[in-house]
Amino acid sequence: MRILFGVFLLFFGFDHFFNYIPFPEMAPKADAYFASLSSTGVMQMVGVVEIVSALAFIFNKYGALMAVILMSVSINAVLFHISLDPAKIYGALMLLILNISMLYFYRNQYNQLLKA
């Protein structure tokens, strides 16, 4: 499962730099917001987080840490689609579900972090 998620993240992470996936048309507000994110380099940063997370999952090194860091990307993707482009939320939901499954996969490594 972690390798499959890693390949998924690599594919979409590299797309932030090479743009090989045709971009679907979005709602006007979503398009404007996404253009702002892209112009500031935020989407390239998301690509870096996705690629680093992918490598962590594939090689099983620092996967627990990257699953936590990647949650910010997952949650923001879902919130973006809920509020600005709900018709295309499926990819973001897939990312969130896979991310949650990685948190569950690494759950034993969070014991010290969650101790009171």
Side-chain angles (χ1 to χ4, degrees):
M1 179 64 132
R2 67 179 171 75
I3 294 174
L4 176 68
F5 188 38
V7 171
F8 173 85
L9 287 171
L10 269 182
F11 181 74
F12 288 102
F14 279 120
D15 182 60
H16 290 283
F17 299 99
F18 300 112
N19 301 313
Y20 48 80
I21 301 172
F23 209 73
E25 196 168 317
M26 292 190 284
K29 287 182 181 180
D31 195 36
Y33 182 72
F34 196 79
S36 295
L37 290 177
S38 296
S39 70
T40 60
V42 170
M43 295 314 295
Q44 287 76 19
M45 180 72 101
V46 168
V48 169
V49 170
E50 288 176 346
I51 292 167
V52 171
S53 297
L55 295 173
F57 295 142
I58 290 170
F59 295 112
N60 203 22
K61 299 287 183 187
Y62 304 105
L65 173 64
M66 293 313 297
V68 172
I69 292 171
L70 188 63
M71 277 305 287
S72 64
V73 173
S74 301
I75 290 170
N76 278 296
V78 169
L79 291 175
F80 169 83
H81 284 287
I82 286 173
S83 60
L84 296 173
D85 200 14
K88 297 179 186 77
I89 196 168
Y90 301 110
L93 286 175
M94 175 71 78
L95 175 65
L96 182 62
I97 290 166
L98 289 170
N99 199 166
I100 290 170
S101 71
M102 285 297 97
L103 288 171
Y104 183 76
F105 177 79
Y106 290 112
R107 69 189 177 280
N108 294 330
Q109 295 185 23
Y110 302 123
N111 289 339
Q112 283 298 112
L113 182 66
L114 299 174
K115 264 189 182 174

